[in-house]
Amino acid sequence: MRTAVCPGSFDPITLGHLDVIERSAALFDRVIVCVLVNGGKDTGMFPAERRLEFVRLATEHLPNVEAARWDGLLADFAQREGACALVKGVRCGSDFDWEYQMACINRGLLPGLETVLLPASAQYVYFSSTMAREMIKYGQDLTQYLPAPVAQILRKGKD
Ligand code: PNS
């Protein structure tokens, strides 16, 4: 069984993330979406447990996808789960530059751990979690940018 990890902050998960997760689920037998807390500090807009809940709701329709939270090194998580690959989406050159560095670091930490970079689908190239957080702050509806159950919860929270 080939296991892949889709890592990220997911603060919050967007349709762009979900697109990468769905495409990973078609490539690998088992996919673990890993919500990471960088440096052990839970400093996002949404606490890690909430981000994890959003990921679980958004991926409920994918039978070979599970979700987990991890507070340490991604390579340690991949080793614990027996994963052969990390999968990340790339939208532009600066994403690639960053992900290339991360891929080298992670392969150095865990030899044999490959990073698979999926080009973002065109409709998601111009959106990010950073933009989602900004729109949430200003009370905007995010139906066209976030997975339906997540957008619905955020809309209800506003009423
Ligand atoms: O959603 P993002 O910002 O693209 O996610 C980045 C993330 C969380 C995947 C990355 O920062 C990460 O892997 N953090 C965990 C700590 C780690 O393993 N760092 C790399 C070695 S120093």
Side-chain angles (χ1 to χ4, degrees):
M1 174 176 297
R2 296 185 88 75
T3 299
V5 176
C6 286
S9 312
F10 301 106
D11 187 29
I13 184 170
T14 65
L15 283 176
H17 290 130
L18 185 57
D19 178 59
V20 170
I21 294 164
E22 285 172 342
R23 290 160 65 195
S24 306
L27 290 171
F28 292 91
D29 301 308
R30 174 179 173 237
V31 171
I32 311 172
V33 183
C34 184
V35 175
L36 282 139
V37 180
N38 269 330
K41 285 192 199 142
D42 196 0
T43 53
M45 171 178 246
F46 296 100
E49 285 309 309
R50 187 88 164 131
R51 288 186 259 148
L52 182 59
E53 182 199 336
F54 286 167
V55 168
R56 290 210 167 108
L57 287 170
T59 57
E60 255 177 352
H61 61 294
L62 299 167
N64 61 336
V65 173
E66 47 198 271
R69 170 194 167 159
W70 187 251
D71 291 27
L73 273 182
L74 178 55
D76 288 341
F77 180 79
Q79 186 168 36
R80 192 189 75 165
E81 297 297 331
C84 61
L86 307 172
V87 185
K88 290 283 288 192
V90 285
R91 290 163 298 190
C92 54
S94 57
D95 274 2
F96 177 82
D97 291 347
W98 173 250
E99 295 304 343
Y100 180 67
Q101 275 185 45
M102 295 299 281
C104 293
I105 288 175
N106 283 318
R107 196 145 68 109
L109 290 168
L110 183 58
L113 179 64
E114 293 293 353
T115 296
V116 175
L117 298 179
L118 295 181
S121 295
Q123 66 268 39
Y124 304 124
V125 162
Y126 295 105
F127 200 71
S128 65
S129 293
T130 307
M131 288 176 199
R133 292 195 295 275
E134 193 77 354
M135 288 177 73
I136 292 164
K137 269 190 215 152
Y138 292 108
Q140 292 301 301
D141 179 58
L142 283 120
T143 306
Q144 51 176 321
Y145 300 111
L146 301 190
V150 179
Q152 198 182 349
I153 288 172
L154 294 175
R155 213 168 35 239
K156 275 194 193 138
K158 222 179 70 170
D159 298 337

